[in-house]
């Protein structure tokens, strides 16, 4: 049976989704992003080359694969052009393989400016956003004053695009003291990007429906992670979209039955960039050691990522919220030098042990992780490609992760490169690997 797979972050983002999407792309003909924007940074290493995808689906690296940016994504046209040019310099041509939903919302320069101000106003309650204008663009969408990609086609100086930009810029001028932005300049810029964008714009939902009818297999690529989801994450320290599975239907205009398999991605430990709770966070030397050996610095902003132990409460929660069929455990090799490895199985709260992730931030802040400690393997797993070649302690660690998380491990990643991978559950992946037909065209 041929099914479409979703790849979703099971922690706070940066789990290695890019690597796993790239790995699975050879089994599909379409890869679709359904939410987020260029706050995402998905790294794919192929031999000596490294690619970092922000807005474009990671599938773009595979010749012939069609890539969709859905209506649920917010698009900064300038960032998109830079990404396309960077890829072109690296030998990857987007050509006509890209389709951007005409309903996707646009990020304009005032969104970035408003975000920086909002963060400054929050002071020490700041979210630690990526300052890409993501939140303010989604705010405009929900407030029904947003500008969609298709709106950029409107060239009439007294038309709806000009009116919307005039209103939004005048609202910006009220909020931001000291400087005045001329709406005409913003309008002229928005119009000029349309000329470059137009060739890629179309009805993404229709394209996906037709492609699936023709037998194409689709990979739905999530950005961020379950704990950064606007509804299910550690609110308010979240992003402004639904990276969880429901975002696929709303963010692409596909029905739930189009999703045939859901693969969660989790690191063998935990990281988070930005502010907000991280129950298993390590503040001392061990945290620094994880950060350095895992090269835990943001792919988008370069910020150091906060590091902690694997938190099974979090990943179990991701299993429930997304209906994960399996997980891929990444960065196992980063734990190679450790003598022992704590694994969080619950939270102690007022003398009780919680095994489900609490919704309430005050409760969460009072929780202490409950750990069980497993022996480390103190030998290299980096680059190992067969499960049986892993040291027995590493196998035990993975088996324990599986048991406490309550879902099978389908893939183990032992290095950043495509090849440094162990496919553990052939059966599950096989189900997702049937040959798929190529869709006839993008538009
Ligand atoms: P994403 O946002 O989920 O795609 O993840 P990022 O690309 O932001 O961060 C994951 C980082 O870990 C990237 O630099 C990857 O190249 C790297 N990576 C992925 N899998 C592995 C692995 O198994 N081992 C090691 N050492 N690095 C990995
Ligand atoms: P990928 O797809 C990790 C975090 C930011 C901040 C919060 C809100 O690479 O996993 P935003 O700019 O989205 O309003 O910031 O979300 N964040 C990410 N953290 N990986 C990401 O994407 C992220 N995208 C946003 O650091 O805490
Ligand atoms: Mg990332």
């Amino acid at each position: 049976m041929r099914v479409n797979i979703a790849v979703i972050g099971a922690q706070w983002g940066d789990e290695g989704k890019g690597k796993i999407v790239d790995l699975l792309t050879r089994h599909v003909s379409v890869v679709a992003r359904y939410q987020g924007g260029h706050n995402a940074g998905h790294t794919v290493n192929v031999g000596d080359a490294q690619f970092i995808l922000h807005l474009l689906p990671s599938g773009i690296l595979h010749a012939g694969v069609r890539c969709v940016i859905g209506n649920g994504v917010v698009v900064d046209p300038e960032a998109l052009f830079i990404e396309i040019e960077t890829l072109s310099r690296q030998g990857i041509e987007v050509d006509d393989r890209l389709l951007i939903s005409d309903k996707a919302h646009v990020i304009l320069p005032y969104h970035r400016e408003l975000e920086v101000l909002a963060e400054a106003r929050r002071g020490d309650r700041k979210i630690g956003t990526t300052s890409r204008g993501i939140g303010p663009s989604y705010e405009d969408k929900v407030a029904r004053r947003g500008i969609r990609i298709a709106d950029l086609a409107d060239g009439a100086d007294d038309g709806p695009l000009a009116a919307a930009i005039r209103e939004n810029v005048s609202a910006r001028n009220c909020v931001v003291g000291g400087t005045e932005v001329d709406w005409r300049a913003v309008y002229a810029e928005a119009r000029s990007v349309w000329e470059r964008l137009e060739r890629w714009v179309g009805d993404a939902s229709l394209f996906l429906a037709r492609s699936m009818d023709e037998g194409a297999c689709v990979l739905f690529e999530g950005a961020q992670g379950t704990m950064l989801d606007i509804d299910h994450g550690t609110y308010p320290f979240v992003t402004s979209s639904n990276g969880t599975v429901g975002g696929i239907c709303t963010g692409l205009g596909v029905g739930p039955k189009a999703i045939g398999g859901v693969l969660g991605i989790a690191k063998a430990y935990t990281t988070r960039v930005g502010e907000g709770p991280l129950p298993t966070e390590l503040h001392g030397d061990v945290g620094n050691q994880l950060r350095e050996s895992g090269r835990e610095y943001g792919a988008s902003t370069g910020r150091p990522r906060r590091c902690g132990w694997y938190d099974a409460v979090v990943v179990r929660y991701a299993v429930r919220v997304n209906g994960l069929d399996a997980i891929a455990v990444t960065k196992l090799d980063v734990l190679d030098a450790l003598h022992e490895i704590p694994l969080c199985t619950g939270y102690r709260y007022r003398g009780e042990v919680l095994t489900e992730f609490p919704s309430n931030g005050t409760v969460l802040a009072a929780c202490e992780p409950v750990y069980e400690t497993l022996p480390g393997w103190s030998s290299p797993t980096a680059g190992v490609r067969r499960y049986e070649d892993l040291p027995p302690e590493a196998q035990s660690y993975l088996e324990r992760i599986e048991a406490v998380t309550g879902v099978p491990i389908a893939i183990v990643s032992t290095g950043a490169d495509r090849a440094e991978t162990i496919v553990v559950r052939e059966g599950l992946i096989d189900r997702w690997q049937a040959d798929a037909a190529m869709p006839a065209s993008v538009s």
Side-chain angles (χ1 to χ4, degrees):
M1 191 174 71
R2 181 185 298 150
V3 296
N4 305 315
I5 330 157
V7 172
I8 293 181
Q11 296 159 325
W12 276 275
D14 301 329
E15 298 91 347
K17 297 176 292 295
K19 170 182 167 161
I20 303 296
V21 168
D22 172 67
L23 193 76
L24 297 175
T25 295
R26 64 199 163 95
H27 308 295
V28 303
S29 43
V30 180
V31 179
R33 273 277 307 270
Y34 55 92
Q35 46 71 237
H38 66 307
N39 49 352
H42 297 177
T43 314
V44 179
N45 285 19
V46 189
D48 292 337
Q50 181 174 74
F51 303 91
I52 302 181
L53 289 314
H54 299 286
L55 257 172
L56 291 168
S58 305
I60 201 76
L61 303 180
H62 291 245
V65 167
R66 314 280 186 186
C67 287
V68 174
I69 293 180
N71 59 279
V73 176
V74 284
V75 178
D76 180 328
E78 291 302 337
L80 178 70
F81 298 148
I82 290 172
E83 193 170 336
I84 290 172
E85 282 155 21
T86 306
L87 279 182
S88 174
R89 277 198 299 277
Q90 292 186 283
I92 305 289
E93 296 304 335
V94 169
D95 294 327
D96 286 326
R97 294 189 293 128
L98 176 64
L99 178 66
I100 307 171
S101 167
D102 47 11
K103 295 184 197 145
H105 280 246
V106 179
I107 299 178
L108 290 171
Y110 53 82
H111 289 127
R112 287 189 290 274
E113 204 182 8
L114 290 170
E115 177 173 342
V116 172
L117 278 174
E119 281 280 89
R121 261 200 313 273
R122 287 179 73 103
D124 56 11
R125 285 186 60 255
K126 73 172 196 259
I127 290 160
T129 66
T130 59
S131 313
R132 300 286 198 268
I134 307 290
S137 176
Y138 279 117
E139 281 175 43
D140 280 1
K141 171 179 178 173
V142 175
R144 293 159 296 181
R145 56 172 181 255
I147 290 161
R148 308 204 290 184
I149 295 270
D151 299 336
L152 301 177
D154 169 21
D157 286 350
D158 55 355
L161 175 65
I165 290 182
R166 196 170 55 233
E167 272 166 36
N168 289 351
V169 170
S170 109
R172 175 263 169 221
N173 286 341
C174 291
V175 176
V176 185
T179 58
E180 283 269 308
V181 168
D182 180 359
W183 73 268
R184 286 177 201 82
V186 181
Y187 173 68
E189 195 185 320
R191 285 289 303 144
S192 74
V193 298
W194 173 250
E195 282 164 31
R196 286 180 76 183
L197 271 183
E198 187 178 1
R199 64 184 285 207
W200 292 305
V201 177
D203 186 330
S205 163
L206 184 61
F207 167 73
L208 287 169
R210 286 188 176 155
S211 301
M212 290 187 281
D213 281 350
E214 288 166 18
C217 223
V218 183
L219 192 155
F220 304 113
E221 177 176 354
Q224 289 81 55
T226 302
M227 305 315 276
L228 288 172
D229 182 277
I230 182 76
D231 285 285
H232 299 290
T234 46
Y235 191 90
F237 301 100
V238 292
T239 191
S240 302
S241 65
N242 289 112
T244 53
V245 72
I248 295 172
C249 296
T250 53
L252 285 166
V254 299
K257 290 185 202 139
I259 308 163
V262 192
L263 179 67
I265 316 298
K267 276 178 191 164
Y269 50 99
T270 310
T271 65
R272 152 163 227 173
V273 58
E275 307 302 320
L278 179 57
T280 61
E281 182 164 16
L282 292 159
H283 292 282
D285 288 348
V286 188
N288 293 338
Q289 190 186 332
L290 281 180
R291 182 174 312 109
E292 294 315 314
S293 48
R295 298 205 190 124
E296 295 296 355
Y297 293 89
S300 278
T301 59
R303 292 179 293 173
R305 296 174 184 151
R306 299 154 62 195
C307 298
W309 300 122
Y310 184 86
D311 187 338
V313 183
V314 163
V315 185
R316 238 181 357 245
Y317 176 71
V319 171
R320 165 157 55 89
V321 168
N322 297 295
L324 300 183
D325 295 303
I327 54 171
V329 175
T330 61
K331 304 191 93 160
L332 184 71
D333 54 297
V334 174
L335 304 180
D336 282 354
L338 298 169
H339 296 296
E340 46 183 39
I341 309 173
L343 183 68
C344 168
T345 53
Y347 300 151
R348 185 160 290 109
Y349 175 70
R350 293 188 175 167
E352 232 186 290
V353 174
L354 307 182
T355 52
E356 299 297 335
F357 195 82
S359 317
N360 182 316
T362 315
V363 173
L364 186 61
C367 285
E368 286 286 322
V370 176
Y371 290 112
E372 58 182 56
T373 302
L374 283 91
W377 41 93
S378 308
S379 59
T381 64
V384 170
R385 297 173 193 199
R386 293 190 321 170
Y387 193 79
E388 55 272 32
D389 293 340
L390 288 173
E393 295 86 354
Q395 294 187 14
S396 305
Y397 181 65
L398 291 168
E399 279 153 25
R400 195 62 195 141
I401 283 189
E402 218 171 35
V404 293
T405 310
V407 78
I409 295 176
I411 294 173
V412 176
S413 173
T414 57
D417 197 84
R418 218 181 247 178
E420 295 173 313
T421 310
I422 304 169
V423 177
V424 185
R425 294 274 183 278
E426 293 285 354
L428 259 180
I429 301 297
D430 279 351
R431 206 157 62 86
W432 299 335
Q433 283 186 352
D435 272 349
M438 283 284 174
S441 70
V442 166
S443 43

